[in-house]
mmCIF file of all heavy atoms in Angstrom:
data_model
loop_
_atom_site.group_PDB
_atom_site.id
_atom_site.type_symbol
_atom_site.label_atom_id
_atom_site.label_comp_id
_atom_site.label_asym_id
_atom_site.label_seq_id
_atom_site.Cartn_x
_atom_site.Cartn_y
_atom_site.Cartn_z
ATOM 1 N N TRP A 1 19.831 -54.279 16.965
ATOM 2 C CA TRP A 1 18.537 -54.828 17.001
ATOM 3 C C TRP A 1 18.615 -56.323 17.582
ATOM 4 O O TRP A 1 17.552 -56.891 17.940
ATOM 5 C CB TRP A 1 17.919 -54.923 15.572
ATOM 6 C CG TRP A 1 18.811 -55.548 14.575
ATOM 7 C CD1 TRP A 1 18.932 -56.824 14.158
ATOM 8 C CD2 TRP A 1 19.755 -54.852 13.676
ATOM 9 N NE1 TRP A 1 19.824 -57.068 13.238
ATOM 10 C CE2 TRP A 1 20.370 -55.849 12.877
ATOM 11 C CE3 TRP A 1 20.189 -53.529 13.517
ATOM 12 C CZ2 TRP A 1 21.309 -55.542 11.844
ATOM 13 C CZ3 TRP A 1 21.138 -53.305 12.527
ATOM 14 C CH2 TRP A 1 21.810 -54.241 11.790
ATOM 15 N N GLU A 2 19.745 -56.913 17.647
ATOM 16 C CA GLU A 2 19.964 -58.206 18.163
ATOM 17 C C GLU A 2 19.635 -58.321 19.587
ATOM 18 O O GLU A 2 19.519 -59.397 20.337
ATOM 19 C CB GLU A 2 21.182 -58.783 17.770
ATOM 20 C CG GLU A 2 21.448 -59.008 16.241
ATOM 21 C CD GLU A 2 22.838 -59.334 15.777
ATOM 22 O OE1 GLU A 2 23.797 -59.297 16.718
ATOM 23 O OE2 GLU A 2 23.104 -59.590 14.712
ATOM 24 N N ILE A 3 19.800 -57.177 20.358
ATOM 25 C CA ILE A 3 19.489 -57.145 21.712
ATOM 26 C C ILE A 3 18.101 -57.717 22.037
ATOM 27 O O ILE A 3 17.920 -58.439 22.999
ATOM 28 C CB ILE A 3 19.408 -55.586 22.233
ATOM 29 C CG1 ILE A 3 20.809 -54.990 22.141
ATOM 30 C CG2 ILE A 3 18.881 -55.469 23.602
ATOM 31 C CD1 ILE A 3 20.784 -53.552 22.426
ATOM 32 N N VAL A 4 17.178 -57.508 21.198
ATOM 33 C CA VAL A 4 15.752 -58.031 21.429
ATOM 34 C C VAL A 4 15.818 -59.524 21.237
ATOM 35 O O VAL A 4 15.022 -60.174 22.044
ATOM 36 C CB VAL A 4 14.801 -57.474 20.393
ATOM 37 C CG1 VAL A 4 13.416 -58.004 20.764
ATOM 38 C CG2 VAL A 4 14.756 -55.982 20.580
ATOM 39 N N GLY A 5 16.661 -60.118 20.527
ATOM 40 C CA GLY A 5 16.819 -61.577 20.489
ATOM 41 C C GLY A 5 17.523 -62.044 21.798
ATOM 42 O O GLY A 5 17.124 -63.168 22.240
ATOM 43 N N TYR A 6 18.440 -61.292 22.336
ATOM 44 C CA TYR A 6 19.096 -61.710 23.493
ATOM 45 C C TYR A 6 18.186 -61.683 24.730
ATOM 46 O O TYR A 6 18.218 -62.540 25.645
ATOM 47 C CB TYR A 6 20.290 -60.863 23.701
ATOM 48 C CG TYR A 6 21.483 -61.456 24.380
ATOM 49 C CD1 TYR A 6 22.373 -62.112 23.574
ATOM 50 C CD2 TYR A 6 21.693 -61.434 25.709
ATOM 51 C CE1 TYR A 6 23.458 -62.734 24.164
ATOM 52 C CE2 TYR A 6 22.757 -62.100 26.341
ATOM 53 C CZ TYR A 6 23.701 -62.672 25.510
ATOM 54 O OH TYR A 6 24.708 -63.333 26.119
ATOM 55 N N LEU A 7 17.294 -60.707 24.764
ATOM 56 C CA LEU A 7 16.314 -60.568 25.887
ATOM 57 C C LEU A 7 14.965 -61.072 25.353
ATOM 58 O O LEU A 7 14.382 -60.409 24.366
ATOM 59 C CB LEU A 7 16.178 -59.089 26.254
ATOM 60 C CG LEU A 7 17.509 -58.467 26.840
ATOM 61 C CD1 LEU A 7 17.176 -57.009 27.070
ATOM 62 C CD2 LEU A 7 17.867 -59.055 28.092
ATOM 63 N N PRO A 8 14.459 -62.103 25.840
ATOM 64 C CA PRO A 8 13.182 -62.706 25.198
ATOM 65 C C PRO A 8 11.950 -61.951 25.598
ATOM 66 O O PRO A 8 11.144 -62.351 26.369
ATOM 67 C CB PRO A 8 13.171 -64.129 25.912
ATOM 68 C CG PRO A 8 13.858 -63.876 27.263
ATOM 69 C CD PRO A 8 14.999 -62.787 27.005
ATOM 70 N N MET A 9 11.841 -60.737 25.086
ATOM 71 C CA MET A 9 10.757 -59.819 25.392
ATOM 72 C C MET A 9 9.856 -59.702 24.146
ATOM 73 O O MET A 9 10.256 -59.669 22.995
ATOM 74 C CB MET A 9 11.209 -58.377 25.811
ATOM 75 C CG MET A 9 12.205 -58.472 26.878
ATOM 76 S SD MET A 9 11.731 -59.263 28.407
ATOM 77 C CE MET A 9 10.933 -57.915 29.267
ATOM 78 N N GLY A 10 8.520 -59.636 24.398
ATOM 79 C CA GLY A 10 7.576 -59.473 23.338
ATOM 80 C C GLY A 10 6.515 -60.632 23.342
ATOM 81 O O GLY A 10 6.704 -61.668 23.916
ATOM 82 N N GLY A 11 5.476 -60.344 22.574
ATOM 83 C CA GLY A 11 4.500 -61.429 22.423
ATOM 84 C C GLY A 11 3.286 -61.359 23.435
ATOM 85 O O GLY A 11 2.397 -62.194 23.435
ATOM 86 N N TRP A 12 3.234 -60.380 24.152
ATOM 87 C CA TRP A 12 2.097 -60.185 25.137
ATOM 88 C C TRP A 12 1.224 -59.011 24.655
ATOM 89 O O TRP A 12 1.602 -58.039 24.099
ATOM 90 C CB TRP A 12 2.514 -60.005 26.545
ATOM 91 C CG TRP A 12 3.272 -58.588 26.807
ATOM 92 C CD1 TRP A 12 2.790 -57.431 27.077
ATOM 93 C CD2 TRP A 12 4.683 -58.372 26.636
ATOM 94 N NE1 TRP A 12 3.689 -56.411 27.127
ATOM 95 C CE2 TRP A 12 4.878 -57.009 26.857
ATOM 96 C CE3 TRP A 12 5.815 -59.188 26.307
ATOM 97 C CZ2 TRP A 12 6.167 -56.448 26.769
ATOM 98 C CZ3 TRP A 12 7.087 -58.598 26.215
ATOM 99 C CH2 TRP A 12 7.289 -57.270 26.459
ATOM 100 N N ASN A 13 -0.142 -59.183 25.030
ATOM 101 C CA ASN A 13 -1.111 -58.185 24.628
ATOM 102 C C ASN A 13 -0.898 -57.756 23.096
ATOM 103 O O ASN A 13 -0.899 -58.610 22.298
ATOM 104 C CB ASN A 13 -0.956 -56.915 25.554
ATOM 105 C CG ASN A 13 -1.362 -57.220 27.020
ATOM 106 O OD1 ASN A 13 -1.947 -58.297 27.261
ATOM 107 N ND2 ASN A 13 -0.860 -56.445 27.940
ATOM 108 N N GLU A 14 -0.641 -56.467 22.847
ATOM 109 C CA GLU A 14 -0.583 -55.992 21.547
ATOM 110 C C GLU A 14 0.916 -55.909 21.141
ATOM 111 O O GLU A 14 1.205 -55.356 20.027
ATOM 112 C CB GLU A 14 -1.250 -54.566 21.369
ATOM 113 C CG GLU A 14 -2.785 -54.602 21.393
ATOM 114 C CD GLU A 14 -3.399 -55.460 20.271
ATOM 115 O OE1 GLU A 14 -2.865 -55.459 19.200
ATOM 116 O OE2 GLU A 14 -4.489 -56.007 20.455
ATOM 117 N N CYS A 15 1.797 -56.283 22.056
ATOM 118 C CA CYS A 15 3.290 -56.182 21.707
ATOM 119 C C CYS A 15 3.640 -57.269 20.638
ATOM 120 O O CYS A 15 3.196 -58.308 20.748
ATOM 121 C CB CYS A 15 4.031 -56.487 22.984
ATOM 122 S SG CYS A 15 5.844 -56.308 22.900
ATOM 123 N N PRO A 16 4.404 -56.758 19.718
ATOM 124 C CA PRO A 16 4.865 -57.711 18.662
ATOM 125 C C PRO A 16 5.553 -58.909 19.239
ATOM 126 O O PRO A 16 6.246 -58.791 20.276
ATOM 127 C CB PRO A 16 5.689 -56.872 17.776
ATOM 128 C CG PRO A 16 5.317 -55.445 17.996
ATOM 129 C CD PRO A 16 4.912 -55.352 19.462
ATOM 130 N N MET A 17 5.684 -59.963 18.487
ATOM 131 C CA MET A 17 6.479 -61.183 18.855
ATOM 132 C C MET A 17 7.987 -60.695 18.732
ATOM 133 O O MET A 17 8.278 -59.826 18.025
ATOM 134 C CB MET A 17 6.131 -62.325 17.885
ATOM 135 C CG MET A 17 4.744 -62.757 18.146
ATOM 136 S SD MET A 17 4.325 -63.476 19.708
ATOM 137 C CE MET A 17 5.408 -64.879 19.693
ATOM 138 N N PRO A 18 8.843 -61.456 19.429
ATOM 139 C CA PRO A 18 10.250 -61.087 19.320
ATOM 140 C C PRO A 18 10.798 -61.030 17.869
ATOM 141 O O PRO A 18 11.568 -60.199 17.647
ATOM 142 C CB PRO A 18 10.918 -62.277 20.188
ATOM 143 C CG PRO A 18 9.839 -62.695 21.140
ATOM 144 C CD PRO A 18 8.507 -62.495 20.368
ATOM 145 N N GLU A 19 10.469 -62.014 17.047
ATOM 146 C CA GLU A 19 10.912 -61.926 15.757
ATOM 147 C C GLU A 19 10.446 -60.696 14.970
ATOM 148 O O GLU A 19 11.291 -60.086 14.304
ATOM 149 C CB GLU A 19 10.331 -63.095 14.898
ATOM 150 C CG GLU A 19 10.841 -64.447 15.468
ATOM 151 C CD GLU A 19 9.806 -65.002 16.484
ATOM 152 O OE1 GLU A 19 9.075 -64.249 17.160
ATOM 153 O OE2 GLU A 19 9.878 -66.291 16.688
ATOM 154 N N GLU A 20 9.192 -60.237 15.212
ATOM 155 C CA GLU A 20 8.758 -58.981 14.650
ATOM 156 C C GLU A 20 9.454 -57.783 15.253
ATOM 157 O O GLU A 20 9.781 -56.754 14.511
ATOM 158 C CB GLU A 20 7.276 -58.838 14.782
ATOM 159 C CG GLU A 20 6.404 -59.889 14.106
ATOM 160 C CD GLU A 20 5.051 -59.872 14.363
ATOM 161 O OE1 GLU A 20 4.573 -59.587 15.579
ATOM 162 O OE2 GLU A 20 4.148 -59.875 13.502
ATOM 163 N N MET A 21 9.762 -57.794 16.575
ATOM 164 C CA MET A 21 10.345 -56.714 17.206
ATOM 165 C C MET A 21 11.817 -56.551 16.783
ATOM 166 O O MET A 21 12.250 -55.386 16.536
ATOM 167 C CB MET A 21 10.235 -56.937 18.777
ATOM 168 C CG MET A 21 8.992 -56.902 19.382
ATOM 169 S SD MET A 21 9.048 -57.086 21.140
ATOM 170 C CE MET A 21 9.702 -55.615 21.655
ATOM 171 N N ILE A 22 12.428 -57.668 16.475
ATOM 172 C CA ILE A 22 13.850 -57.571 15.998
ATOM 173 C C ILE A 22 13.824 -56.888 14.609
ATOM 174 O O ILE A 22 14.631 -56.003 14.310
ATOM 175 C CB ILE A 22 14.546 -58.929 15.849
ATOM 176 C CG1 ILE A 22 14.666 -59.575 17.279
ATOM 177 C CG2 ILE A 22 15.868 -58.811 15.176
ATOM 178 C CD1 ILE A 22 15.281 -60.971 17.256
ATOM 179 N N ALA A 23 12.845 -57.336 13.741
ATOM 180 C CA ALA A 23 12.811 -56.743 12.371
ATOM 181 C C ALA A 23 12.525 -55.220 12.418
ATOM 182 O O ALA A 23 13.144 -54.464 11.721
ATOM 183 C CB ALA A 23 11.724 -57.524 11.606
ATOM 184 N N VAL A 24 11.607 -54.889 13.278
ATOM 185 C CA VAL A 24 11.230 -53.338 13.487
ATOM 186 C C VAL A 24 12.429 -52.600 14.048
ATOM 187 O O VAL A 24 12.792 -51.557 13.516
ATOM 188 C CB VAL A 24 10.068 -53.207 14.391
ATOM 189 C CG1 VAL A 24 9.910 -51.698 14.639
ATOM 190 C CG2 VAL A 24 8.843 -53.723 13.710
ATOM 191 N N CYS A 25 13.222 -53.228 15.032
ATOM 192 C CA CYS A 25 14.342 -52.481 15.525
ATOM 193 C C CYS A 25 15.471 -52.379 14.570
ATOM 194 O O CYS A 25 16.105 -51.343 14.523
ATOM 195 C CB CYS A 25 14.838 -53.307 16.754
ATOM 196 S SG CYS A 25 13.819 -53.140 18.214
ATOM 197 N N LYS A 26 15.596 -53.353 13.688
ATOM 198 C CA LYS A 26 16.561 -53.276 12.561
ATOM 199 C C LYS A 26 16.174 -52.130 11.562
ATOM 200 O O LYS A 26 17.023 -51.306 11.223
ATOM 201 C CB LYS A 26 16.680 -54.548 11.806
ATOM 202 C CG LYS A 26 17.718 -54.654 10.734
ATOM 203 C CD LYS A 26 17.726 -56.017 10.008
ATOM 204 C CE LYS A 26 18.898 -56.075 9.112
ATOM 205 N NZ LYS A 26 18.788 -55.270 7.923
ATOM 206 N N TYR A 27 14.950 -52.104 11.197
ATOM 207 C CA TYR A 27 14.420 -51.080 10.290
ATOM 208 C C TYR A 27 14.566 -49.675 10.972
ATOM 209 O O TYR A 27 15.100 -48.667 10.307
ATOM 210 C CB TYR A 27 13.021 -51.333 10.055
ATOM 211 C CG TYR A 27 12.174 -50.261 9.334
ATOM 212 C CD1 TYR A 27 12.528 -49.759 8.132
ATOM 213 C CD2 TYR A 27 11.055 -49.637 10.011
ATOM 214 C CE1 TYR A 27 11.855 -48.700 7.472
ATOM 215 C CE2 TYR A 27 10.253 -48.652 9.332
ATOM 216 C CZ TYR A 27 10.767 -48.176 8.123
ATOM 217 O OH TYR A 27 10.039 -47.187 7.535
ATOM 218 N N TRP A 28 14.343 -49.577 12.222
ATOM 219 C CA TRP A 28 14.408 -48.249 12.907
ATOM 220 C C TRP A 28 15.896 -47.806 13.096
ATOM 221 O O TRP A 28 16.163 -46.635 13.024
ATOM 222 C CB TRP A 28 13.699 -48.242 14.174
ATOM 223 C CG TRP A 28 12.175 -48.021 14.063
ATOM 224 C CD1 TRP A 28 11.567 -47.712 12.932
ATOM 225 C CD2 TRP A 28 11.203 -48.156 15.117
ATOM 226 N NE1 TRP A 28 10.202 -47.465 13.238
ATOM 227 C CE2 TRP A 28 10.003 -47.752 14.498
ATOM 228 C CE3 TRP A 28 11.290 -48.480 16.420
ATOM 229 C CZ2 TRP A 28 8.793 -47.725 15.188
ATOM 230 C CZ3 TRP A 28 10.053 -48.355 17.199
ATOM 231 C CH2 TRP A 28 8.781 -48.055 16.542
ATOM 232 N N TYR A 29 16.774 -48.802 13.315
ATOM 233 C CA TYR A 29 18.147 -48.525 13.445
ATOM 234 C C TYR A 29 18.721 -47.883 12.012
ATOM 235 O O TYR A 29 19.328 -46.965 12.060
ATOM 236 C CB TYR A 29 19.021 -49.624 13.890
ATOM 237 C CG TYR A 29 20.436 -49.252 14.066
ATOM 238 C CD1 TYR A 29 20.901 -48.394 15.037
ATOM 239 C CD2 TYR A 29 21.398 -49.634 13.060
ATOM 240 C CE1 TYR A 29 22.276 -48.048 15.199
ATOM 241 C CE2 TYR A 29 22.778 -49.302 13.123
ATOM 242 C CZ TYR A 29 23.030 -48.545 14.312
ATOM 243 O OH TYR A 29 24.444 -48.098 14.310
ATOM 244 N N GLU A 30 18.446 -48.583 11.016
ATOM 245 C CA GLU A 30 18.730 -48.144 9.669
ATOM 246 C C GLU A 30 18.224 -46.789 9.278
ATOM 247 O O GLU A 30 18.875 -46.037 8.558
ATOM 248 C CB GLU A 30 18.461 -49.274 8.699
ATOM 249 C CG GLU A 30 19.224 -50.570 8.897
ATOM 250 C CD GLU A 30 18.794 -51.685 8.005
ATOM 251 O OE1 GLU A 30 17.592 -51.553 7.477
ATOM 252 O OE2 GLU A 30 19.479 -52.672 7.954
ATOM 253 N N LYS A 31 17.004 -46.536 9.758
ATOM 254 C CA LYS A 31 16.270 -45.362 9.381
ATOM 255 C C LYS A 31 16.569 -44.149 10.235
ATOM 256 O O LYS A 31 16.799 -42.984 9.892
ATOM 257 C CB LYS A 31 14.795 -45.674 9.289
ATOM 258 C CG LYS A 31 13.931 -44.498 8.784
ATOM 259 C CD LYS A 31 12.532 -44.919 8.634
ATOM 260 C CE LYS A 31 11.680 -43.798 8.108
ATOM 261 N NZ LYS A 31 10.224 -44.355 7.892
ATOM 262 N N TYR A 32 16.583 -44.483 11.603
ATOM 263 C CA TYR A 32 16.766 -43.270 12.583
ATOM 264 C C TYR A 32 17.972 -43.466 13.506
ATOM 265 O O TYR A 32 18.224 -42.521 14.226
ATOM 266 C CB TYR A 32 15.579 -43.453 13.522
ATOM 267 C CG TYR A 32 14.194 -43.343 12.903
ATOM 268 C CD1 TYR A 32 13.390 -44.416 12.827
ATOM 269 C CD2 TYR A 32 13.670 -42.117 12.503
ATOM 270 C CE1 TYR A 32 12.079 -44.395 12.127
ATOM 271 C CE2 TYR A 32 12.362 -42.043 11.970
ATOM 272 C CZ TYR A 32 11.638 -43.174 11.782
ATOM 273 O OH TYR A 32 10.344 -43.147 11.162
ATOM 274 N N LYS A 33 18.739 -44.613 13.415
ATOM 275 C CA LYS A 33 19.761 -44.808 14.333
ATOM 276 C C LYS A 33 19.339 -44.933 15.730
ATOM 277 O O LYS A 33 20.198 -44.714 16.711
ATOM 278 C CB LYS A 33 20.947 -43.778 14.251
ATOM 279 C CG LYS A 33 21.593 -43.677 12.857
ATOM 280 C CD LYS A 33 22.164 -44.927 12.386
ATOM 281 C CE LYS A 33 22.794 -44.793 10.994
ATOM 282 N NZ LYS A 33 23.337 -46.132 10.478
ATOM 283 N N ALA A 34 18.063 -45.390 16.010
ATOM 284 C CA ALA A 34 17.555 -45.527 17.217
ATOM 285 C C ALA A 34 17.951 -47.000 17.746
ATOM 286 O O ALA A 34 17.850 -47.949 16.951
ATOM 287 C CB ALA A 34 16.082 -45.320 17.264
ATOM 288 N N VAL A 35 18.233 -47.176 19.037
ATOM 289 C CA VAL A 35 18.562 -48.535 19.490
ATOM 290 C C VAL A 35 17.649 -48.850 20.679
ATOM 291 O O VAL A 35 17.390 -47.951 21.552
ATOM 292 C CB VAL A 35 19.975 -48.533 20.000
ATOM 293 C CG1 VAL A 35 20.898 -48.273 18.796
ATOM 294 C CG2 VAL A 35 20.328 -47.631 21.089
#
């Protein structure tokens, strides 16, 4: 999930802010093992 912090993506249109994206990616990795 730290990849999203390394790549400054997010915060446009309806896309979550980077901080939110990292939190979601962490949650999804722990739940689904998705990266």
Side-chain angles (χ1 to χ4, degrees):
W1 56 85
E2 295 172 351
I3 292 171
V4 181
Y6 212 87
L7 298 175
M9 310 301 273
W12 64 89
N13 298 339
E14 294 293 328
C15 183
M17 295 298 292
E19 297 90 338
E20 295 176 316
M21 293 181 73
I22 294 176
V24 170
C25 289
K26 182 176 188 292
Y27 169 60
W28 277 353
Y29 180 73
E30 292 171 345
K31 186 173 183 178
Y32 304 102
K33 300 302 180 184
V35 299

